[in-house]
Amino acid sequence: MSLITVGTMAFDAIETPFAKVDKIVGGSATYVAYAASNFLKPVQQVSIVGYDFPEAEMNELRSRGVELDGVEIVPDKKSFFWSGKYHTDMNSRDTLITDLNVLGDFNPIIPDSYQGAEFLMLGNLMPKLQMSVINQLKVRPKLIVMDTMNFWMDTAMDDLKQVLTKVDVLLVNDGEARQLSGEYSLVKAANKILQMGPRFLIIKKGEHGALLFHDNHVFFAPALPLEEVFDPTGAGDTFAGGFIGHLAKTKDISFENMKTAIIVGSAMASFCVEKFGPERLKEITKADIDERLAEFVQLVNFDIDLV
Ligand code: AMP
């Protein structure tokens, strides 16, 4: 069982109401890989970095079963750089800088050794590149999950809509679901988005959990109430990594199993926000994950006697 993950590997500068960091490793594919590699190996990464991306980070990923044959290293350019500032509620943020750098001329090439993967995670990236990856796969994966963000809706909406026709699951946050559909009600937004291609839609609502839509069904996964959210950066990608990691591990892509998968995604995201960047994800063990999943079970477990 293998999983291809595509996305950015980056440096981020992050400012929250409580702390600030000028340069930390980030990127959509980095977070997905750290999360998913807890559930299956190999995770086959496709991305691009510049001369400045730390070799130690690459080795850390390799040691977790992340294959980097599909990660291009450009010797004379800098890695993708993103900078964001969170509002006091930590659920919303402003993007301050997006420096594409190496991403500007990225042309992802899927290594032969990655062909035949049954799961594909299209992390947040230019929609054209997400499409190019789909087109290069000789056998369509059993499940294609796609993440995106408002930046691409603002700059490449037509391309994004093309990719939507090719994927099974779309992951967006509530603001992005509204922007994509033009509907304020999330139920109406979901109905419209499900007409655009994906059979499943996940709408993430930060500290208010996530909704999974499929046909006329909807399922809700809470976020774990945490005393302190230190840095929400990467929570969405980490959620995605936990979600697809669980599906790939269990090889079951039913709606029922996706319910479990969004709980797993929420549990992984709850770790991510506890420290800056992917730091916390590097510390956790299987026992930590199991313990947190048990907390989620308790969070939503109740009896009711209907008379
Ligand atoms: P998240 O908080 O889950 O939305 O993910 C944040 C990560 O996405 C950061 O580590 C950034 O490096 C990366 N990122 C930010 N903007 C973009 C973009 N336009 N395309 C791809 N990745 C991005």
Side-chain angles (χ1 to χ4, degrees), residues 8 10 12 26-28 31 80 82 86 93 98 124-125 149 151-152 232-237:
T8 49
D12 295 337
S28 55
Y31 285 103
F80 176 67
W82 173 81
Y86 287 87
R93 70 183 176 206
T98 301
N124 187 18
L125 192 68
M149 79 186 298
F151 183 79
W152 304 119
T233 309
D237 310 310

Short mmCIF file of all heavy atoms in Angstrom, two decimals, residues 8 10 12 26-28 31 80 82 86 93 98 124-125 149 151-152 232-237, ligand 1:
data_model
loop_
_atom_site.label_atom_id
_atom_site.label_comp_id
_atom_site.label_asym_id
_atom_site.label_seq_id
_atom_site.Cartn_x
_atom_site.Cartn_y
_atom_site.Cartn_z
N THR A 8 3.96 21.68 -1.06
CA THR A 8 5.14 22.51 -0.83
C THR A 8 5.98 21.99 0.33
O THR A 8 5.47 21.37 1.26
CB THR A 8 4.72 23.97 -0.51
OG1 THR A 8 3.72 23.96 0.51
CG2 THR A 8 4.16 24.66 -1.74
N ALA A 10 8.74 24.07 2.62
CA ALA A 10 8.92 25.52 2.67
C ALA A 10 9.62 26.00 3.92
O ALA A 10 9.89 25.23 4.84
CB ALA A 10 7.53 26.16 2.60
N ASP A 12 8.64 29.06 6.69
CA ASP A 12 7.56 29.95 7.10
C ASP A 12 8.06 30.95 8.13
O ASP A 12 8.96 30.64 8.93
CB ASP A 12 6.43 29.16 7.79
CG ASP A 12 5.74 28.18 6.84
OD1 ASP A 12 5.80 28.38 5.61
OD2 ASP A 12 5.11 27.22 7.35
N GLY A 26 8.32 24.47 7.04
CA GLY A 26 6.88 24.26 6.89
C GLY A 26 6.60 23.71 5.51
O GLY A 26 7.44 23.04 4.92
N GLY A 27 5.43 24.03 5.01
CA GLY A 27 5.03 23.55 3.68
C GLY A 27 3.96 22.48 3.81
O GLY A 27 3.99 21.66 4.73
N SER A 28 3.03 22.51 2.86
CA SER A 28 1.89 21.59 2.96
C SER A 28 2.34 20.13 2.96
O SER A 28 1.88 19.33 3.77
CB SER A 28 0.90 21.87 1.83
OG SER A 28 1.55 21.81 0.56
N TYR A 31 4.03 18.82 6.33
CA TYR A 31 3.09 18.45 7.39
C TYR A 31 2.35 17.16 7.06
O TYR A 31 2.16 16.30 7.92
CB TYR A 31 2.07 19.58 7.62
CG TYR A 31 2.64 20.76 8.36
CD1 TYR A 31 2.98 21.94 7.70
CD2 TYR A 31 2.82 20.72 9.74
CE1 TYR A 31 3.49 23.04 8.38
CE2 TYR A 31 3.33 21.81 10.43
CZ TYR A 31 3.66 22.96 9.74
OH TYR A 31 4.16 24.04 10.44
N PHE A 80 10.43 27.80 -1.30
CA PHE A 80 9.18 28.55 -1.14
C PHE A 80 9.13 29.15 0.26
O PHE A 80 9.54 28.51 1.24
CB PHE A 80 8.01 27.57 -1.34
CG PHE A 80 6.64 28.15 -1.11
CD1 PHE A 80 6.12 29.12 -1.95
CD2 PHE A 80 5.86 27.71 -0.04
CE1 PHE A 80 4.85 29.64 -1.74
CE2 PHE A 80 4.59 28.24 0.19
CZ PHE A 80 4.09 29.20 -0.67
N TRP A 82 6.65 31.40 3.00
CA TRP A 82 5.31 31.93 3.32
C TRP A 82 5.35 32.56 4.71
O TRP A 82 6.03 32.06 5.60
CB TRP A 82 4.28 30.80 3.30
CG TRP A 82 2.92 31.24 3.77
CD1 TRP A 82 1.99 31.89 3.05
CD2 TRP A 82 2.36 31.05 5.07
NE1 TRP A 82 0.86 32.12 3.81
CE2 TRP A 82 1.07 31.61 5.06
CE3 TRP A 82 2.82 30.45 6.25
CZ2 TRP A 82 0.23 31.62 6.17
CZ3 TRP A 82 1.98 30.45 7.36
CH2 TRP A 82 0.71 31.02 7.31
N TYR A 86 -1.53 35.54 12.70
CA TYR A 86 -2.84 35.09 13.21
C TYR A 86 -3.56 36.19 13.96
O TYR A 86 -2.93 37.00 14.65
CB TYR A 86 -2.65 33.86 14.12
CG TYR A 86 -2.30 32.65 13.30
CD1 TYR A 86 -0.98 32.37 12.96
CD2 TYR A 86 -3.29 31.83 12.79
CE1 TYR A 86 -0.67 31.30 12.15
CE2 TYR A 86 -2.99 30.75 11.97
CZ TYR A 86 -1.69 30.50 11.66
OH TYR A 86 -1.37 29.45 10.84
N ARG A 93 -6.28 34.11 9.85
CA ARG A 93 -4.93 34.67 9.71
C ARG A 93 -4.85 35.46 8.42
O ARG A 93 -5.66 35.27 7.50
CB ARG A 93 -3.88 33.55 9.71
CG ARG A 93 -3.93 32.72 8.44
CD ARG A 93 -2.94 31.57 8.45
NE ARG A 93 -3.11 30.76 7.25
CZ ARG A 93 -2.79 29.49 7.16
NH1 ARG A 93 -2.28 28.85 8.20
NH2 ARG A 93 -2.96 28.83 6.04
N THR A 98 3.96 35.68 0.22
CA THR A 98 4.07 34.38 -0.46
C THR A 98 5.15 34.55 -1.52
O THR A 98 4.92 35.14 -2.55
CB THR A 98 2.74 33.96 -1.14
OG1 THR A 98 1.71 33.88 -0.14
CG2 THR A 98 2.85 32.60 -1.82
N ASN A 124 -1.82 21.33 -0.77
CA ASN A 124 -2.00 22.68 -1.27
C ASN A 124 -0.84 23.09 -2.19
O ASN A 124 0.31 23.12 -1.78
CB ASN A 124 -2.07 23.59 -0.04
CG ASN A 124 -2.41 25.00 -0.40
OD1 ASN A 124 -2.91 25.27 -1.49
ND2 ASN A 124 -2.14 25.91 0.52
N LEU A 125 -1.18 23.41 -3.42
CA LEU A 125 -0.19 23.71 -4.47
C LEU A 125 -0.93 24.31 -5.65
O LEU A 125 -2.16 24.19 -5.73
CB LEU A 125 0.46 22.39 -4.89
CG LEU A 125 1.72 22.42 -5.76
CD1 LEU A 125 2.89 23.00 -4.98
CD2 LEU A 125 2.09 21.01 -6.22
N MET A 149 -6.42 26.29 -1.18
CA MET A 149 -6.63 27.44 -0.29
C MET A 149 -7.11 28.65 -1.07
O MET A 149 -7.08 28.67 -2.31
CB MET A 149 -5.36 27.76 0.51
CG MET A 149 -4.32 28.52 -0.29
SD MET A 149 -2.75 28.74 0.60
CE MET A 149 -3.22 29.70 2.03
N PHE A 151 -5.81 31.42 -1.67
CA PHE A 151 -4.81 32.02 -2.58
C PHE A 151 -5.02 31.53 -4.01
O PHE A 151 -4.98 32.30 -4.96
CB PHE A 151 -3.41 31.64 -2.09
CG PHE A 151 -2.28 32.25 -2.88
CD1 PHE A 151 -1.91 33.57 -2.67
CD2 PHE A 151 -1.59 31.51 -3.84
CE1 PHE A 151 -0.87 34.14 -3.41
CE2 PHE A 151 -0.56 32.07 -4.57
CZ PHE A 151 -0.20 33.39 -4.35
N TRP A 152 -5.27 30.22 -4.17
CA TRP A 152 -5.46 29.65 -5.51
C TRP A 152 -6.86 29.98 -6.06
O TRP A 152 -7.04 30.06 -7.26
CB TRP A 152 -5.20 28.14 -5.51
CG TRP A 152 -3.83 27.82 -4.98
CD1 TRP A 152 -3.54 27.07 -3.88
CD2 TRP A 152 -2.57 28.28 -5.49
NE1 TRP A 152 -2.18 27.02 -3.67
CE2 TRP A 152 -1.56 27.77 -4.64
CE3 TRP A 152 -2.18 29.08 -6.57
CZ2 TRP A 152 -0.20 28.02 -4.85
CZ3 TRP A 152 -0.83 29.34 -6.76
CH2 TRP A 152 0.14 28.81 -5.91
N PRO A 232 -1.32 27.45 14.92
CA PRO A 232 -2.19 26.60 14.09
C PRO A 232 -1.62 26.30 12.71
O PRO A 232 -2.24 25.54 11.95
CB PRO A 232 -3.47 27.44 13.92
CG PRO A 232 -3.29 28.68 14.75
CD PRO A 232 -1.84 28.82 15.03
N THR A 233 -0.46 26.84 12.35
CA THR A 233 0.08 26.61 11.01
C THR A 233 0.27 25.11 10.75
O THR A 233 0.85 24.41 11.57
CB THR A 233 1.44 27.33 10.84
OG1 THR A 233 1.28 28.66 11.24
CG2 THR A 233 1.94 27.24 9.40
N GLY A 234 -0.22 24.68 9.61
CA GLY A 234 -0.04 23.28 9.23
C GLY A 234 -1.11 22.36 9.78
O GLY A 234 -1.13 21.17 9.45
N ALA A 235 -2.01 22.91 10.61
CA ALA A 235 -3.04 22.03 11.20
C ALA A 235 -3.88 21.39 10.10
O ALA A 235 -4.22 20.20 10.17
CB ALA A 235 -3.92 22.82 12.16
N GLY A 236 -4.20 22.17 9.05
CA GLY A 236 -5.02 21.64 7.96
C GLY A 236 -4.30 20.52 7.21
O GLY A 236 -4.89 19.49 6.87
N ASP A 237 -3.02 20.72 6.97
CA ASP A 237 -2.23 19.70 6.24
C ASP A 237 -2.03 18.46 7.11
O ASP A 237 -2.02 17.33 6.61
CB ASP A 237 -0.85 20.27 5.86
CG ASP A 237 -1.00 21.61 5.18
OD1 ASP A 237 -1.79 21.71 4.25
OD2 ASP A 237 -0.31 22.57 5.61
P1 AMP B 1 -2.17 25.26 6.78
O1 AMP B 1 -1.96 26.02 8.05
O2 AMP B 1 -2.57 23.83 7.01
O3 AMP B 1 -3.04 25.97 5.82
O4 AMP B 1 -0.76 25.14 6.07
C1 AMP B 1 0.24 26.09 6.20
C2 AMP B 1 1.42 25.67 5.34
O5 AMP B 1 1.07 25.83 3.96
C3 AMP B 1 2.62 26.53 5.59
O6 AMP B 1 3.66 25.73 6.12
C4 AMP B 1 3.01 27.14 4.24
O7 AMP B 1 4.36 26.97 3.93
C5 AMP B 1 2.14 26.41 3.24
N1 AMP B 1 1.55 27.35 2.29
C6 AMP B 1 1.13 28.61 2.52
N2 AMP B 1 0.64 29.18 1.40
C7 AMP B 1 0.73 28.23 0.43
C8 AMP B 1 0.38 28.21 -0.95
N3 AMP B 1 -0.17 29.26 -1.57
N4 AMP B 1 0.59 27.06 -1.62
C9 AMP B 1 1.11 25.99 -1.01
N5 AMP B 1 1.49 25.95 0.28
C10 AMP B 1 1.30 27.06 1.01
#
